[in-house]
Amino acid sequence: MAEPTRSEARPLPPAFVPAEVDAPLYERWVERGYFEADEKSDRPPFCIVIPPPNVTGSLHVGHAFEHALIDALVRRRRMQGYEALWLPGMDHAGIATQNVVERELAKQGLSRHDLGREAFVKKVWEWKAESGGQILGQMRRLGDGVAWSRERFTMDDGLSRAVQEIFKRLYDDGLVYRAERIINWCVRCHTALSDIEVEHTDDEGELVSIRYGDPATSEVVVATTRAETMLGDTAVAVHPDDDRYAHLVGTEVELPLTGRRIPVVADPHVDPTFGTGMVKVTPAHDPNDFEIGQRHGLPSLLVLDEQGRVTAHGPFQGLDRFEARPAVVAALREEGRLVAERRPYVHSVGHCSRCGTVVEPRLSLQWWVRVGPLAKAAGDAVRGGRVVIHPAEIEGRWFSWVDNMHDWCVSRQLWWGHRIPVWYGPDGEVVCVGPDDDVPTGPGWHQDPDVLDTWFSSALWPFSTLGWPDDTPALAKFYPNQVLVTGYDILFFWVARMMMFGLYARADQPPADAVPFRTVALHGMVRDEHGKKMSKSFGNAVDPIEWLDRFGADAVRFTLARGANPGTDVPVGADWVQAARNFCNKLWNATRFALLNGAHVGSLPPAADLSAPDRWILSRLNATAAAVDAFYEDFQFAKLSEALFHFVWDEFCDWYVELAKTPLAAGGAAAERTRLVLGHVLDTVLRLLHPLIPFVTEKLWTTLTGEESVVIANWPRADDSLVDAAAETAVDEIQRLVTEVRRFRSDQGLKPRQRVTARLIGPAGGSADTHEIEIRSLTWLDEPAEGFAPTASLQVGSVLVEIDVSGSIDLDAERRRTEKDLAAARNELAQAAAKLDNEQFLAKAPDAVVTRIRERRTSAEAEIARLEARLAALGG
RNA sequence: GGGCGCAUAGCUCAGCGGGAGAGCACCCGCCUUACAAGCGGGGGGUCACUGGUUCGAUCCCAGUUGCGCCCACCA
């Protein structure tokens, strides 16, 4: 047997101080290459690509949350023997980053146009270097076990090549095309936006009804919330079956303020029951009107420029759309009661998701991805079970989205991003250039000035980061990724597009291997301690660094994991992080205690040589390990964290460690046996906890075992043979006895450590008999001396405890307690008895339930008898 | 306008057909040589409302009220 000398050799400080522990450990992990993955390995692959953070700024708590989950998954798989890869990187975040840099420039009174495209883009790269470095630093502090050698950026050469390649393929397949349509135009960002980049809110506006045609005889009344767009009307539409207006169809009416005459057309899109049943048609500034225009060959008249200013017609020219709106209404009124009605109107208004500006629908020539076949494949992959979405309830949303997707506008009028690889020739030639093609040169040739939607490159992330379009070993090994962990908020922005492009790019593979990932695990959003959305403007956003400084990375990670119920939002507050920090410290001190007492890791003695508490804690340990494994398979981070928390604190620390003090003090074989069990339990539970709280566990585990690192230790396997029902029952008895005595003492006003004498009388070999020393120690009861005269007695299970409460017993307190317990027991009995009197219950309830109720009745009866006796003894 | 989800202890949330749970907060007592970032004990809930199904409902169904989210081109 090894001598317990380690503890003296490697003492632990009395408290866990993350600031002193974390950083050196992380550096060592990286130096030793633990997080690197070998694509040539025979081990099964486990790859998760990071949802690339925007280089825009620093990580927020949501990132910390996501990283905590991913890191836990990857670390566990690594311990299980997988070739585990967490691939890091960042996203250039086109519009977001450009905005940030433009804002910086604005502080100096400059616009990007002052710099020019080339200089501006250079500026953004500088920003990227600075901001990106900050993000990487935060990831190190969090303990993210990423393969740094594989770090990628969506704008680096390889990924840009992938973007160009896929664009070229899509172009050649007719899946990307250029067309003039209504797009969402942000007048502040000066770019087109895709539909999902627009956020709708119910805004207060005004619905204005306007008379068109001859004021005297006018029967044409149309309504609008955007009066200024009337300047661009090119028709009025009615429903084809609307008899009220059938006579007008084919005629022309005068458009006020413009001197133009516009036709009345019949179109099925018009809802005859809404308003007057007549609609103004502005093909250049409304998607529906554009459709109507197409159907009737109407001209499209742009009346707002890219700044949202009126381009047409004298008095309004140059006015912002929001100035033009009332101005037009006023002019109509002056013109002679052309405004039939004005009323407040709450309606859905689209805003730029980046800057909040009201989006202007606007006719524009843009590049589009034809989404039909791609989206169908994305839907089928989930339908066919090739990709599994967690939690499953989200699938409904998934299908309704992919099955109804509109074509995706992918061109952006920005400078920061992947430039569209299309050249236009002097004679109207259009050439799409692949990564290995020659760029057309010569007079008149120029490249499309626009860049691609930032999500276009993100969509390639699962394979572009692994070397695609080249046929690399990494791609072969790690594609499809095993899991994708991300927030439900970007299911459509990102997950759907990765599915579409992954399936398209890898269409040469068998269907099951073309998918970008096998499982999508969606998490919720981090919220504040009251469940409110975190936002800077609301002032409740937390900088994770603050918590990292105060409580350490493990505490932050554990808090977040512990709150992570599948797919639901996670509320967190500083108090909770503190509680997690306390847990880490508890673990620290339990290990410290064990080491101070010579705990070490060795082969466990056979069960027959172990005490009931030993067998109990091993039983609980293995049950916990099994539960943790099951929870991991289901991404139940809250449950598995809770299981480990409960095991460590409530079972191991509160009971096993306390019970262990007796054999440790006894010395000899009992002490050595206990040291081995302590060592074994800690060894195992530290490994189980490592994926969640990597730093403390590394420090404690290496100190305990003397081994190199828990990062590369084996994941514990639950051993069913160590689950021991008899031991659990035995310890359960001890716990009940101890708790009852403590309760009695507390009721009697005895100080916790105040020694009183007592005699324990139980059946030979029962828990009181075999563990009397432990029980006395935990209840501060001394052996009775000569002439022992108990002043009180209490029966707990099969054990009678006679106590000499030094001094007089507080009869009132004791009576109150007993009466209360008695009432509870009687209530219990009544409930059980009522059920057992019910014939239908007996006939229909499952046997197990009936048995349980019978047992409950029996124990309630015994309890009542006991309590009544006690009450009688108390003179009640 | 559609679709989805949620209402359980003061707060944040688990549980989800047969004994109401956790963390934090609260009250009482303890500086017990692992830990005061701790230890022991304790109080606190007609499980939103109304009906239904069932021997039995916090749990299933319907409706009501309140809250949240997603989608949508209704002037």
Side-chain angles (χ1 to χ4, degrees):
Chain A
M1 289 253 174
E3 281 305 305
T5 53
R6 280 186 212 283
S7 55
E8 286 94 318
R10 276 192 281 267
L12 287 169
F16 169 46
V17 183
E20 288 167 15
V21 171
D22 294 5
L25 294 180
Y26 191 83
E27 294 315 312
R28 201 185 310 159
W29 292 335
V30 173
E31 272 168 32
R32 293 183 184 170
Y34 292 155
F35 304 140
E36 296 300 332
D38 178 6
E39 56 242 16
K40 293 187 282 294
S41 136
D42 293 334
R43 296 160 177 254
F46 185 81
C47 176
I48 295 182
V49 292
I50 195 172
N54 292 353
V55 284
T56 324
S58 56
L59 299 187
H60 53 71
V61 187
H63 290 111
F65 174 46
E66 187 167 87
H67 292 198
L69 304 187
I70 294 175
D71 202 30
L73 292 176
V74 176
R75 282 178 186 265
R76 171 167 172 267
R77 287 300 191 206
R78 183 176 295 115
M79 293 173 78
Q80 285 180 321
Y82 287 76
E83 194 60 38
L85 169 60
W86 181 9
L87 193 149
M90 286 179 282
D91 196 295
H92 68 282
I95 189 168
T97 308
Q98 172 159 332
N99 280 352
V100 169
V101 176
E102 283 191 291
R103 230 173 286 140
E104 292 296 311
L105 285 178
K107 286 178 189 165
Q108 305 161 42
L110 295 172
S111 85
R112 67 177 148 125
H113 300 283
D114 295 324
L115 298 194
R117 184 163 188 153
E118 203 174 319
F120 177 77
V121 168
K122 196 170 156 233
K123 203 92 191 156
V124 184
W125 277 103
E126 285 166 16
W127 167 270
K128 183 258 167 187
E130 185 191 324
S131 176
Q134 205 178 326
I135 289 169
L136 303 183
Q138 287 175 304
M139 289 175 63
R140 303 175 102 86
R141 285 215 50 193
L142 284 166
D144 293 351
V146 298
W148 288 112
S149 71
R150 294 177 190 265
E151 187 198 340
R152 305 308 297 265
F153 180 56
T154 48
M155 293 261 287
D156 67 27
D157 289 344
L159 272 65
S160 298
R161 216 167 91 82
V163 166
Q164 198 173 347
E165 173 69 24
I166 199 126
F167 189 95
K168 171 74 172 159
R169 287 195 196 181
L170 288 165
Y171 182 86
D172 290 344
D173 285 345
L175 291 171
V176 66
Y177 61 94
R178 198 172 187 223
E180 191 168 47
R181 286 205 199 142
I182 299 284
I183 45 87
N184 308 290
W185 184 263
C186 177
V187 302
R188 205 213 63 84
C189 302
H190 294 142
T191 182
L193 303 172
S194 64
D195 290 345
I196 49 174
E197 286 171 296
V198 176
E199 288 173 359
H200 290 87
T201 56
D202 282 344
D203 292 1
E204 286 183 15
E206 188 182 49
L207 188 66
V208 182
S209 299
I210 308 170
R211 292 197 175 87
Y212 284 8
D214 179 358
T217 61
S218 178
E219 49 194 323
V220 177
V221 178
V222 296
T224 180
T225 53
R226 296 188 293 152
E228 73 281 7
T229 61
M230 67 150 302
L231 301 172
D233 285 2
T234 56
V236 169
V238 300
H239 193 273
D241 301 335
D242 195 333
D243 296 338
R244 294 173 296 174
Y245 307 123
H247 65 286
L248 288 174
V249 175
T251 66
E252 289 194 338
V253 295
E254 189 187 322
L255 184 65
L257 308 179
T258 65
R260 284 192 286 120
R261 296 186 68 78
I262 56 176
V264 177
V265 300
D267 192 280
H269 171 263
V270 180
D271 176 359
T273 65
F274 186 94
T276 59
M278 309 182 98
V279 172
K280 64 191 274 302
V281 181
T282 322
H285 290 284
D286 183 281
N288 291 317
D289 294 3
F290 179 73
E291 300 285 320
I292 295 174
Q294 295 288 95
R295 284 194 283 271
H296 298 276
L298 302 170
S300 296
L301 216 59
L302 273 168
V303 292
L304 294 168
D305 67 11
E306 296 181 349
Q307 331 287 324
R309 290 181 307 227
V310 176
T311 54
H313 296 94
F316 309 112
Q317 187 159 16
L319 286 184
D320 181 78
R321 54 196 167 142
F322 295 123
E323 298 166 352
R325 192 166 300 168
V328 165
V329 173
L332 287 167
R333 295 182 64 171
E334 272 174 39
E335 195 82 357
R337 306 219 313 284
L338 293 180
V339 175
E341 191 191 3
R342 305 174 65 176
R343 63 185 165 95
Y345 194 68
V346 175
H347 62 132
S348 179
V349 176
H351 299 258
C352 171
S353 61
R354 275 297 146 202
C355 70
T357 304
V358 172
V359 160
E360 196 61 41
R362 192 168 189 281
L363 189 63
S364 182
L365 183 61
Q366 303 284 347
W367 284 95
W368 303 81
V369 169
R370 192 183 310 284
V371 134
L374 302 171
K376 173 153 193 335
D380 289 346
V382 175
R383 266 184 278 268
R386 295 187 294 279
V387 174
V388 176
I389 300 182
H390 279 268
E393 302 86 73
I394 303 278
E395 285 187 3
R397 260 197 244 173
W398 173 262
F399 292 128
S400 70
W401 165 262
V402 294
D403 295 343
N404 301 298
M405 204 186 308
H406 297 312
D407 279 0
W408 172 19
C409 176
V410 292
S411 46
R412 295 290 179 276
Q413 289 62 55
L414 304 170
W415 288 350
W416 177 242
H418 300 96
R419 190 119 173 223
I420 289 174
V422 172
W423 270 257
Y424 305 108
D427 300 316
E429 302 96 323
V430 177
V431 176
C432 180
V433 175
D436 301 321
D437 299 341
D438 291 330
V439 171
T441 51
W445 282 91
H446 63 280
Q447 186 176 3
D448 194 298
D450 291 348
V451 301
L452 288 163
D453 181 3
T454 203
W455 296 102
F456 192 96
S457 54
S458 322
L460 316 180
W461 192 247
F463 48 97
S464 64
T465 52
L466 294 169
W468 191 91
D470 296 333
D471 203 4
T472 63
L475 190 63
K477 179 82 180 174
F478 296 114
Y479 190 97
N481 306 159
Q482 271 59 47
V483 182
L484 178 84
V485 178
T486 194
Y488 60 70
D489 57 327
I490 54 173
L491 185 63
F492 306 137
F493 279 100
W494 194 40
V495 181
R497 271 114 186 224
M498 282 191 286
M499 288 278 279
M500 294 196 301
F501 279 7
L503 290 164
Y504 174 72
R506 303 288 285 172
D508 55 327
Q509 305 288 312
D513 297 332
V515 296
F517 25 71
R518 308 218 178 270
T519 303
V520 178
L522 294 167
H523 64 247
M525 305 294 111
V526 176
R527 291 166 173 271
D528 76 5
E529 63 266 49
H530 298 296
K532 286 220 170 60
K533 200 179 272 180
M534 280 197 183
S535 76
K536 281 180 193 160
S537 55
F538 198 71
N540 63 348
V542 175
D543 181 354
I545 292 293
E546 185 199 323
W547 283 350
L548 252 24
D549 288 342
R550 284 174 68 191
F551 306 114
D554 291 326
V556 172
R557 294 172 56 131
F558 196 71
T559 305
L560 294 164
R562 206 175 168 201
N565 288 115
T568 64
D569 292 344
V570 186
V572 287
D575 283 354
W576 310 6
V577 186
Q578 183 173 319
R581 188 274 313 264
N582 294 354
F583 172 68
C584 294
N585 190 239
K586 189 73 177 172
L587 192 63
W588 178 278
N589 272 289
T591 308
R592 182 161 170 266
F593 168 85
L595 290 171
L596 287 170
N597 283 281
H600 58 104
V601 180
S603 43
L604 284 176
D609 295 343
L610 295 173
S611 71
D614 293 337
R615 283 179 284 120
W616 168 76
I617 198 66
L618 293 172
S619 178
R620 297 305 312 143
L621 175 69
N622 282 279
T624 303
V628 166
D629 273 329
F631 288 141
Y632 262 114
E633 296 310 316
D634 239 4
F635 305 102
Q636 302 257 28
F637 291 96
K639 300 268 171 55
L640 66 92
S641 304
E642 202 55 43
L644 287 163
F645 180 92
H646 177 252
F647 173 79
V648 168
W649 204 311
D650 301 340
E651 299 187 309
F652 182 64
C653 291
D654 284 355
W655 289 100
Y656 185 75
V657 167
E658 294 305 322
L659 287 164
K661 287 175 179 174
T662 296
L664 286 172
E672 179 55 18
R673 191 198 72 220
T674 305
R675 290 185 199 115
L676 280 165
V677 174
L678 281 170
H680 175 83
V681 172
L682 280 170
D683 166 34
T684 307
V685 82
L686 288 169
R687 283 184 285 145
L688 287 170
L689 278 164
H690 176 255
L692 298 170
I693 44 175
F695 292 112
V696 227
T697 50
E698 171 76 337
K699 178 70 183 171
L700 297 176
W701 191 82
T702 52
T703 307
L704 173 73
T705 63
E707 308 253 355
E708 182 181 323
S709 172
V710 70
V711 176
I712 50 169
N714 291 325
W715 182 252
R717 295 188 57 159
D719 182 351
D720 288 347
S721 72
L722 289 175
V723 175
D724 186 334
E728 298 211 13
T729 306
V731 171
D732 199 54
E733 272 177 33
I734 295 174
Q735 289 176 329
R736 268 194 309 161
L737 180 54
V738 167
T739 304
E740 278 301 318
V741 173
R742 283 173 176 171
R743 192 154 80 132
F744 171 80
R745 294 180 51 116
S746 182
D747 287 347
Q748 288 303 314
L750 294 171
K751 304 293 183 198
R753 289 181 62 219
Q754 188 178 334
R755 314 294 310 191
V756 294
T757 53
R759 178 159 52 208
L760 273 58
I761 305 164
S767 57
D769 188 45
T770 50
H771 296 284
E772 183 166 341
I773 304 173
E774 286 94 326
I775 291 166
R776 286 182 178 283
S777 158
L778 294 178
T779 50
W780 310 280
L781 296 180
D782 284 338
E783 295 274 1
E786 198 73 22
F788 171 68
T791 51
S793 70
L794 53 159
Q795 178 88 35
V796 183
S798 56
V799 182
L800 178 67
V801 184
E802 294 180 326
I803 306 181
D804 175 11
V805 179
S806 32
S808 63
I809 181 168
D810 181 346
L811 287 173
D812 278 349
E814 192 52 16
R815 213 177 285 125
R816 277 199 303 275
R817 164 68 67 191
T818 309
E819 276 165 0
K820 192 182 166 195
D821 288 354
L822 185 56
R826 283 181 173 146
N827 185 42
E828 176 85 8
L829 177 63
Q831 281 183 13
K835 288 204 168 180
L836 294 168
D837 280 348
N838 184 330
E839 281 175 30
Q840 284 181 306
F841 168 73
L842 293 175
K844 297 192 177 179
D847 289 349
V849 173
V850 176
T851 307
R852 204 184 318 148
I853 306 279
R854 285 221 173 87
E855 284 167 1
R856 207 183 297 162
R857 179 175 63 182
T858 309
S859 66
E861 282 167 349
E863 187 79 357
I864 288 168
R866 217 193 68 209
L867 292 165
E868 282 174 339
R870 190 147 139 201
L871 208 52
L874 289 165

